[in-house]
Amino acid sequence: SNGCSATATKLITVNALPTVVAITGSTSVCVGSTTTFSNSTPGGIWMSGEPNIAPINANGVITGANAGTSTISYTVTINGCSTTVTKSITVNALPTVAAIAGATSVCVGATTTFSNTTPGGVWSVAQSGIATVNTNGVVTGVSAGTAEIRYTITSNGCSTIATKLITVNALPTVAVTTGSASVCVGA
């Protein structure tokens, strides 16, 4: 001003952005199941772009809430500077499966056939000492008791199980027949 100059100065520090490694973890989860994302850079904050699809907690545990895709972010802030890394996760819907049709009881040593209108499932039994089931749904009574027969449908790594109980009835006991082993004609 008027040919004279004055200068005010102030130092500013330019802080480097934090270095954050990539997020690790599975890229898919089933509805109703959980999976965990992790990051070896400490101090970050987890967030879900679609919390109604894949909410995430402070420890990186993701819950499959609804079918869809969400972008998960992990943000590290140091000295007011932030770096964010992201990873997408797909939440797969559970497959639908029809109810199991068939008898509710069978005798020891006898068979009955279970069926399901949903194709591609796998038959199994929880109590193989009471009943067995083959790949076609044929149930065989092994010993008296109750067994749970299962029909499992798997799609995109997610499974749904239909179950049905069957009672295996013991065979009645019969006493040994007594009497003569021969008879005369007319007698």
Side-chain angles (χ1 to χ4, degrees):
S1 174
N2 297 319
C4 300
S5 297
T7 304
T9 62
K10 185 171 183 174
L11 294 177
I12 187 166
T13 301
V14 178
N15 295 316
L17 294 174
T19 301
V20 182
V21 299
I23 296 170
T24 59
S26 175
T27 57
S28 66
V29 66
C30 300
V31 168
S33 296
T34 62
T35 189
T36 303
F37 275 4
S38 61
N39 194 295
S40 60
T41 307
I45 296 173
W46 293 102
M47 289 191 65
S48 174
E50 297 291 339
N52 62 324
I53 292 174
I56 188 167
N57 71 13
N59 297 318
V61 178
I62 301 166
T63 301
N66 292 292
T69 301
S70 181
T71 299
I72 303 297
S73 63
Y74 183 74
T75 302
V76 176
T77 302
I78 299 173
N79 296 323
C81 300
S82 298
T83 299
T84 299
V85 291
T86 62
K87 184 171 185 161
S88 290
I89 188 161
T90 300
V91 179
N92 295 315
L94 296 175
T96 56
V97 61
I100 297 173
T104 57
S105 66
V106 67
C107 294
V108 170
T111 62
T112 187
T113 302
F114 278 5
S115 63
N116 195 292
T117 57
T118 307
V122 175
W123 292 100
S124 63
V125 63
Q127 300 82 10
S128 59
I130 295 173
T132 61
V133 63
N134 70 12
T135 57
N136 298 317
V138 177
V139 178
T140 303
V142 175
S143 64
T146 302
E148 181 182 82
I149 306 298
R150 300 172 177 167
Y151 186 73
T152 305
I153 297 290
T154 303
S155 175
N156 293 323
C158 302
S159 296
T160 301
I161 302 172
T163 62
K164 186 174 179 98
L165 294 178
I166 188 163
T167 300
V168 179
N169 297 316
L171 297 175
T173 55
V174 178
V176 176
T177 304
T178 60
S180 175
S182 63
V183 65
C184 297
V185 172

